[in-house]
C-alpha cells in the first residue's frame, strides 16, 4: 500500500464547495494524510523540517489547489520555494524525494474547451502545469497526469458529488497500486475511471 500525502492549498475553502467535497471524500481513507497549508500556516511561517518529514514519510504527493491565474495560490508557491530546498529535494546530496510520485489535483473555473490550443486560454492544463512537472523532474520524482475539475463554478450538487467520488476512486487506486502500467497513458487521471 502506497502512503499518500495531499498538500491542500486553498485560501478560501468557504467559497469552494468542490474542494471541500473532494477533501471530505478522501480524508477518511487509510494511508492518506491531508496537510491543509492555509489552516496550518495562516501566517505563512512554514515549518520546513516538519513538511520535509511528511514528504519523506509518504510515497505519493498530491499538490491539491485551485488554478489561480494559471498557477497555484501563494502559500503553495511559498511551500515549494522553502520546503523543496537544495540538499534535500535536489542537488548532489538532495535525493530525499527521488522515485516518489507527484501530481496536481486542481479545480478551474473555466470549462475544458477553453484549455486547448484553440481555446480562450490558448494552452492546455498540462502546459500550464509545466513548472510543477519540471519541479518534479528536478527532484527526481515521477510526475503523473493531473486530476482536474473543470467548470467548478458551474457544477450542481450532483456534479460535485460525482467528482468527489472520482477523486476518492483515483486516490484509492493509487494507494492500492491499481494503475501502475496505465498512469502515463492519459492526459488527466480522471480518464482512468
Amino acid at each position: 500500500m502506497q502512503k499518500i500525502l495531499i498538500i491542500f492549498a486553498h485560501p478560501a475553502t468557504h467559497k469552494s464547495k468542490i474542494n471541500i467535497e473532494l477533501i471530505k471524500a478522501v480524508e477518511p481513507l487509510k494511508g492518506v494524510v491531508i496537510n491543509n497549508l492555509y489552516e496550518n500556516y495562516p501566517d505563512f511561517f512554514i515549518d520546513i523540517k516538519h513538511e520535509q518529514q511528511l514528504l519523506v514519510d509518504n510515497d505519493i504527493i498530491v499538490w491539491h489547489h485551485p488554478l489561480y491565474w494559471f498557477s497555484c495560490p501563494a502559500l503553495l508557491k511559498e511551500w515549494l520555494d522553502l520546503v523543496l530546498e537544495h540538499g534535500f529535494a535536489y542537488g548532489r546530496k538532495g535525493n530525499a524525494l527521488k522515485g516518489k510520485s507527484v501530481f496536481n489535483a486542481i479545480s478551474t473555473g473555466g470549462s475544458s474547451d477553453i484549455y486547448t490550443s484553440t481555446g480562450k486560454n490558448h494552452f492546455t492544463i498540462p502546459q500550464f502545469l509545466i513548472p510543477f512537472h519540471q519541479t518534479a523532474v528536478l527532484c527526481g520524482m515521477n510526475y503523473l497526469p493531473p486530476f482536474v475539475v473543470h467548470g467548478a463554478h458551474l457544477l450542481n450538487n450532483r456534479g460535485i458529488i460525482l467528482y468527489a467520488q472520482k477523486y476518492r476512486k483515483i486516490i484509492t487506486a493509487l494507494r492500492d497500486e491499481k494503475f501502475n502500467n496505465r498512469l502515463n497513458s492519459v492526459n488527466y487521471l480522471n480518464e482512468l475511471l
Side-chain angles (χ1 to χ4, degrees), residues 76-100:
L76 181 54
K77 179 62 170 100
E78 180 80 353
W79 184 93
L80 291 163
D81 291 345
L82 299 178
V83 175
L84 303 182
E85 65 186 349
H86 185 270
F88 169 75
Y90 69 99
R92 268 188 301 160
K93 296 181 181 179
N95 58 8
L97 305 178
K98 188 173 184 172
K100 294 181 183 285

Side-chain angles (χ1 to χ4, degrees), residues 150-168:
H150 281 295
H153 305 302
L154 307 173
L155 291 174
N156 59 24
N157 284 340
R158 185 173 183 280
I160 290 170
I161 290 166
L162 287 173
Y163 268 112
Q165 289 170 344
K166 286 180 184 180
Y167 192 47
R168 183 182 174 99

